[in-house]
Amino acid sequence: MRKKIDEKTLDHIVEEMVSMVENSKDEIFNIGEEARREHENLLLELQDTKEKVSHHIDNGDKLEQQVKSFKKRLSVVSKHFDRYSEAEIQEVYVNTNDMQTKLAVLRQDEKVLRKRRDELERRLVMLNQTIERAESLASKISVILTYLHDDFKQVNEIIAEAKEKQEFGLKIIEAQEDERKRISREIHDGPAQMLANILLRSEIVERSFKQGTMDKTLTEIKSVRRMIRSSLYEVRRIIYDLRPMALDDLGLLPTIKKYVATVASYHESIKIEFIPYGEEKRLPQEYEVALFRLIQESLQNAVKHAKATRIKVKLEIGKNNLTVIVSDNGIGFDPDSIKDKSFGLIGMRERVEMLEGRLSITSSEEGTKVFITVPYNAPFSNS
Ligand SMILES: Nc1ncnc2c1ncn2[C@@H]1O[C@H](COP(=O)(O)OP(=O)(O)OP(=O)(O)O)[C@@H](O)[C@H]1O
Ligand SMILES: [Mg+2]
């Protein structure tokens, strides 16, 4: 089975990579340091060898001179056997021989030293290359480490964000299903049952009409009319909840005014006010829908959760910004601690982000304030 990669696994992989790369960096650093130490030692040895070579050359030259003069003397002595004793000739001969041997040894030593010098110079060039390579490798590894530390963290964040988006997408589908269930239940329990009732009552009307009891017929007709009216009200409420048609027909401000009034009429114990500022004008559809939903959710949250006695809904249609403030004097909550599970607030954030706006919630025991501002002239982003 294929293993699912999540942020934790990725973190682990990245950590392992980082530690491996860090070890390699240390190793390369050690190699560089060793090469540098060897370089220093060899440099000293090279200086020493060079000095020795020049010493040998000097000594060799002097010795050569001496050998030459001895040879000259030897040839003089050899030519005049009669003038020199055998011992004298012997001495000159032995000395010349000694000198020549010394010179040969010296030249041999010099050769060895020269060879060592050349070898040292070659080795130093190679060590220099090693040091340079180690330095460039270490700096490349530093780049890799930065990449692993910073950019991979970003990759992780991107993956986490994508996952959150995916989860959010699933939540949307789930919410759509819930919404459908809720609507079908509402229609089933409300208008459908009322229509069935109306059908039944209309049969009663027909029967009492046939029986000629006018008063009863009229009472029944009145009751049927009441039922039709309340069904109509229910159907309209359901449609309104789905998508207020007034939003398309009249625009944001009148729709919200009506919506707030309707909510207020359902909750008489709460004083709910709508306070509009700025110009009353039509906005692009996506802004009107988004702002309506944002206000709807904030107001519903305040009504549902806050236990408030006062709620204010403010909307300002400014020149460059649209601003919404929904404040209540309720019990408050901690907006940070419920981040993951609450769909209403997540949906609000998502909507505001889509419009490149800003949402902030401040809440205390004295109440909650939802503040939303959306740049109005900014192009609508579909991403
Ligand atoms: N104005 C408020 N006053 C007090 N608590 C609030 C307020 N707004 C939100 N909350 C708290 O935050 C939680 C999350 O709100 P959210 O709108 O995300 O979810 P919900 O209202 O519980 O469910 P849904 O909106 O999906 O029907 C609420 O359950 C509530 O505890
Ligand atoms: Mg809610």
Side-chain angles (χ1 to χ4, degrees), residues 238-251:
I238 293 166
I239 292 171
Y240 194 81
D241 265 3
L242 282 177
R243 182 185 170 111
M245 277 191 276
L247 199 57
D248 300 318
D249 299 341
L250 306 173

Side-chain angles (χ1 to χ4, degrees), residues 46-298:
L46 179 66
Q47 270 168 4
D48 190 44
T49 312
K50 275 181 175 169
E51 271 168 28
K52 274 185 187 154
V53 168
S54 81
H55 224 240
H56 270 64
I57 291 172
D58 283 354
N59 283 348
D61 289 350
K62 276 181 204 151
L63 214 57
E64 221 168 75
Q65 287 300 320
Q66 279 176 352
V67 168
K68 262 186 200 157
S69 71
F70 267 97
K71 270 187 180 166
K72 225 185 254 168
R73 181 145 174 72
L74 188 62
S75 74
V76 171
V77 172
S78 312
K79 266 187 205 151
H80 304 282
F81 272 121
D82 46 336
R83 277 195 238 150
Y84 300 95
S85 72
E86 203 175 310
E88 272 174 323
I89 297 170
Q90 175 86 12
E91 195 199 334
V92 173
Y93 184 79
V94 168
N95 275 342
T96 311
N97 210 26
D98 265 9
M99 274 308 159
Q100 265 176 328
T101 318
K102 253 194 205 165
L103 183 62
V105 169
L106 202 75
R107 289 292 187 224
Q108 182 57 33
D109 273 3
E110 190 190 317
K111 212 168 145 191
V112 171
L113 278 171
R114 275 183 204 270
K115 210 172 152 201
R116 178 69 186 148
R117 182 198 61 195
D118 293 348
E119 218 178 81
L120 283 171
E121 275 171 346
R122 262 200 307 279
R123 182 100 188 91
L124 277 169
V125 169
M126 269 160 71
L127 275 174
N128 255 334
Q129 282 173 357
T130 308
I131 291 167
E132 270 172 27
R133 235 179 283 152
E135 273 171 4
S136 110
L137 258 177
S139 75
K140 276 180 196 156
I141 286 183
S142 296
V143 172
I144 293 174
L145 275 176
T146 324
Y147 173 71
L148 284 176
H149 274 306
D150 301 347
D151 296 359
F152 243 84
K153 218 184 276 162
Q154 273 178 21
V155 170
N156 238 350
E157 277 164 18
I158 290 168
I159 288 175
E161 217 172 273
K163 246 183 94 183
E164 203 176 280
K165 283 246 158 78
Q166 190 189 22
E167 276 163 19
F168 184 69
L170 288 175
K171 273 190 183 164
I172 287 179
I173 294 170
E174 229 173 81
Q176 277 178 339
E177 272 315 304
D178 283 352
E179 185 81 347
R180 285 187 186 149
K181 235 190 272 170
R182 188 182 63 78
I183 296 162
S184 80
R185 197 176 313 122
E186 272 192 50
I187 294 175
H188 174 269
D189 294 350
Q193 227 156 64
M194 281 174 182
L195 286 174
N197 237 336
I198 288 165
L199 195 69
L200 214 75
R201 297 303 273 264
S202 64
E203 278 165 20
I204 298 176
V205 172
E206 192 186 345
R207 221 177 299 142
S208 56
F209 181 71
K210 274 182 188 160
Q211 283 165 2
T213 46
M214 257 338 182
D215 283 357
K216 201 175 168 211
T217 311
L218 271 177
T219 327
E220 281 302 327
I221 285 179
K222 267 185 199 155
S223 146
V224 166
R225 200 185 290 139
R226 251 202 321 277
M227 275 179 175
I228 291 174
R229 194 175 295 131
S230 102
S231 306
L232 201 63
Y233 175 80
E234 270 299 288
V235 170
R236 282 201 175 126
R237 190 186 61 76
I238 293 166
I239 292 171
Y240 194 81
D241 265 3
L242 282 177
R243 182 185 170 111
M245 277 191 276
L247 199 57
D248 300 318
D249 299 341
L250 306 173
L252 187 62
L253 233 103
T255 310
I256 289 176
K257 200 184 269 175
K258 212 169 138 202
Y259 177 69
V260 172
T262 314
V263 174
S265 72
Y266 286 146
H267 303 276
E268 279 171 352
S269 59
I270 312 175
K271 186 169 188 294
I272 307 178
E273 262 182 286
F274 174 51
I275 309 157
Y277 295 98
E279 209 184 326
E280 183 177 337
K281 61 176 174 191
R282 295 300 303 255
L283 305 168
Q285 199 196 19
E286 57 270 20
Y287 284 80
E288 293 197 326
V289 174
L291 283 163
F292 178 77
R293 292 293 179 213
L294 287 166
I295 290 175
Q296 190 181 32
E297 178 59 33
S298 311

Side-chain angles (χ1 to χ4, degrees), residues 308-320:
T309 55
R310 258 191 103 108
I311 302 173
K312 280 186 198 160
V313 178
K314 291 181 190 163
L315 169 68
E316 181 178 7
I317 301 180
K319 247 195 182 146
N320 302 310

Side-chain angles (χ1 to χ4, degrees), residues 297 301-302 304-306 328 331-333 338 342-346 368:
E297 178 59 33
N301 275 351
K304 256 201 310 198
H305 309 297
D328 64 61
I331 53 174
F333 71 112
I338 41 127
S342 45
F343 183 68
L345 292 178
I346 290 182
T368 302

Side-chain angles (χ1 to χ4, degrees), residues 19-37:
S19 92
M20 253 162 59
V21 174
E22 262 167 2
N23 284 346
S24 312
K25 195 182 170 189
D26 289 350
E27 259 171 50
I28 287 168
F29 181 76
N30 287 341
I31 290 173
E33 278 303 287
E34 242 167 61
R36 215 166 274 135
R37 264 199 302 277

